Structures are given as structure tokens and as C-alpha cells.
Amino acid sequence: MVSSGTGPSKGAVVRGTWLVSSTAAGVTEPTTFQLQGRQWDLLPGVFAPTYCASTGFFTESIPFPVGGSFLEVGSGAGVTTVTAAAKGCARVVATDISAAAVENTRLNAARHGLSDRIELYLGDVFDGLEPEERFDLIFWNSPFIDSGADGRPVHDDTRQRLRQAVFDPGYRAHERYLAGAGARLTAAGRLLLGFSDLGDRDMLRRLATGAGYRISTLRTSGDLVRGIDYQLLELVPDDQ
Ligand SMILES: C[S@@+](CC[C@H](N)C(=O)[O-])C[C@H]1O[C@@H](n2cnc3c(N)ncnc32)[C@H](O)[C@@H]1O
């Protein structure tokens, strides 16, 4: 289901809307789930790694910089962030625009005894980080479905937060990610993005080119993962 780049793909929007509705109806109070051989807390309104396979696929595919620093944008329930610390990243920082997600990541860092190595920030993309902070690897399992201009009005906070985890109208947040990442990477730092064939690859390519990157595909899930091809992408600077 590759979009033409001329606007949101209807199939992708339908799939994303199903994901938001299912999660909103299915997670109405704090609960737990199992993934990557661990038990995790899940709060209502937070992207649920149980309704699709992206979190597990990306977490097992990311080349974590053992001994180095890792930044996860949009940490959600915190599976990838906690795994980065557990696998030996010396410094792990997570941000999310959702206060519920930041709290959820905090819960899971504590549940796995890794709070002392994980810093959390509430904010849009890189907002909230100290100006001098740089990372060896930056990753975002992004809200890769473009819902079009501004999406439909949503009056329920939980649903609004979930929509923000799945949809990025006009890819404006992706644009900020690409524009701001360069100033957040160490000299040999790498910039990754968790994407899928529900996303608009043409639009992403245009944004990447505008920000001085080309896209390299590190790993894809194939369509075996519930009919969606998840793609771990690297944004490689043009001069490399
Ligand atoms: C697809 S979910 C992934 C969550 C988690 N990393 C995972 O893999 O389970 C995208 C996450 O990005 C967050 N997000 C959306 N827009 C954001 C923004 N502008 N800045 C920071 N985080 C954002 C959402 O709140 C959500 O937690």
C-alpha cells in the first residue's frame, strides 16, 4: 500500500483510525502487557505495542550504541527506551509530546530497575533537551500516517493523544525531526526513523532531501507482520 505522495492514502487513514479506536476501546484503565520477554505497564491514551507489531520489530532491529548515548523521540510506553538501557547504552534519554506517555515510560523504567540511566522530557520532538545535548543514535517510531491537513476534530483527550501517536497531519512533526536532528547528533551520530508502507515515502523523501539527507533502508519486516511492511530507515547526511 504505497501512497503516491499526492495526499494521504485512504487505506492508511482507515488502518490508523482502526488502531486509534481499538486502543481507545481496549485500554480504558492501566494494564500490563508482555513483549520482548518482559512485562510492561500500559496507561490509557498511550500507543499500545499490543495492537500492532511496530514496537517489537523496531526494538529488536535498532543497532543500539552499547556504551554510548541513545535518544528516543516519542517513547510511548517506553519499551524501546528501557531496552536500550538494558542492552548497555550508557545514557538514554526519552521525549514524548504526551504527558501520559512520559509517565508510562517512567513507570516502565522503574519496573525494570533502570530509572537511574533514563532521563525523560515532555515536549515536541527535541524541545526540552538541554542545548548542548548530543547523541550517538536518535530514533523515532513516528506517527507515520499523514491524515491530511488537520484531521477531524476530536473531543476526547485519550483519543486525541492516540491520534497524535498514529497520525502526523502534513508530516509537520517529521519535518521538525529532520530539521532539528543534525544539531543533536555527535560527529559520527546516526539518525533513524521507524516507518512503514502506510507512510508517504515520497513526501518523506522530499522532506529528507530538503533537510540534507538521503534515505537508506536498514531493515524491513516484509508484509508478514499483520499485513504491514515496517521499515527501519536511516537518514544519511548528503555529504557522507
Ligand atoms: C507510533 S508511537 C510509538 C511509541 C513507542 N515509541 C513505541 O514504539 O511503542 C509515536 C509516539 O510519538 C509521540 N509523538 C507524536 N508526536 C510527537 C511530537 N511532535 N514530539 C514528540 N513525540 C511525539 C506519540 O505521543 C507516541 O508516543
Side-chain angles (χ1 to χ4, degrees):
M1 187 189 302
V2 178
S3 156
S4 65
T6 54
S9 137
K10 191 167 174 230
V13 173
V14 167
R15 192 98 181 211
T17 303
W18 171 85
L19 186 58
V20 168
S21 300
S22 311
T23 311
V27 187
T28 55
E29 55 187 51
T31 183
T32 59
F33 65 95
Q34 191 81 23
L35 193 67
Q36 304 279 304
R38 292 171 185 262
Q39 182 94 355
W40 306 90
D41 288 299
L42 180 64
L43 299 179
V46 176
F47 181 82
T50 45
Y51 283 87
C52 68
S54 63
T55 309
F57 173 72
F58 293 133
T59 300
E60 67 185 29
S61 305
I62 294 169
F64 291 111
V66 174
S69 52
F70 175 72
L71 169 66
E72 183 181 17
V73 172
S75 60
V79 172
T80 306
T81 282
V82 169
T83 303
K87 288 203 166 191
C89 293
R91 179 149 183 271
V92 179
V93 175
T95 75
D96 205 294
I97 201 164
S98 153
V102 173
E103 177 55 20
N104 205 152
T105 300
R106 190 187 314 281
L107 284 176
N108 281 318
R111 174 185 267 271
H112 296 294
L114 291 161
S115 303
D116 58 336
R117 272 200 285 135
I118 296 174
E119 286 168 50
L120 300 169
Y121 294 97
L122 173 65
D124 179 53
V125 192
F126 301 111
D127 289 358
L129 300 176
E130 296 300 326
E132 72 283 358
E133 289 191 282
R134 302 281 182 279
F135 300 90
D136 298 317
L137 187 71
I138 300 177
F139 169 73
W140 189 11
N141 174 9
S142 71
F144 42 66
I145 302 176
D146 171 21
S147 63
D150 289 313
R152 290 175 301 160
V154 179
H155 302 293
D156 169 317
D157 269 3
T158 301
R159 223 167 251 266
Q160 180 57 43
R161 284 197 296 266
L162 287 169
R163 282 190 67 82
Q164 205 163 26
V166 173
F167 295 109
D168 179 15
Y171 274 13
R172 292 188 201 113
H174 282 77
E175 195 167 6
R176 293 195 291 282
Y177 183 68
L178 292 165
R184 294 296 176 182
L185 288 166
T186 56
R190 299 175 70 183
L191 179 63
L192 304 192
L193 183 71
F195 206 69
S196 90
D197 61 354
L198 298 179
D200 187 333
R201 185 73 172 247
D202 289 343
M203 177 145 70
L204 182 68
R205 193 176 295 109
R206 281 198 298 276
L207 292 176
T209 301
Y213 297 99
R214 63 189 161 79
I215 298 173
S216 162
T217 303
L218 296 185
R219 192 176 177 216
T220 67
S221 68
D223 65 2
L224 296 177
V225 184
R226 295 180 202 169
I228 301 174
D229 181 27
Y230 294 106
Q231 305 156 353
L232 181 63
L233 306 181
E234 178 160 8
L235 288 312
V236 182
D238 284 337
D239 56 5
Q240 276 180 25

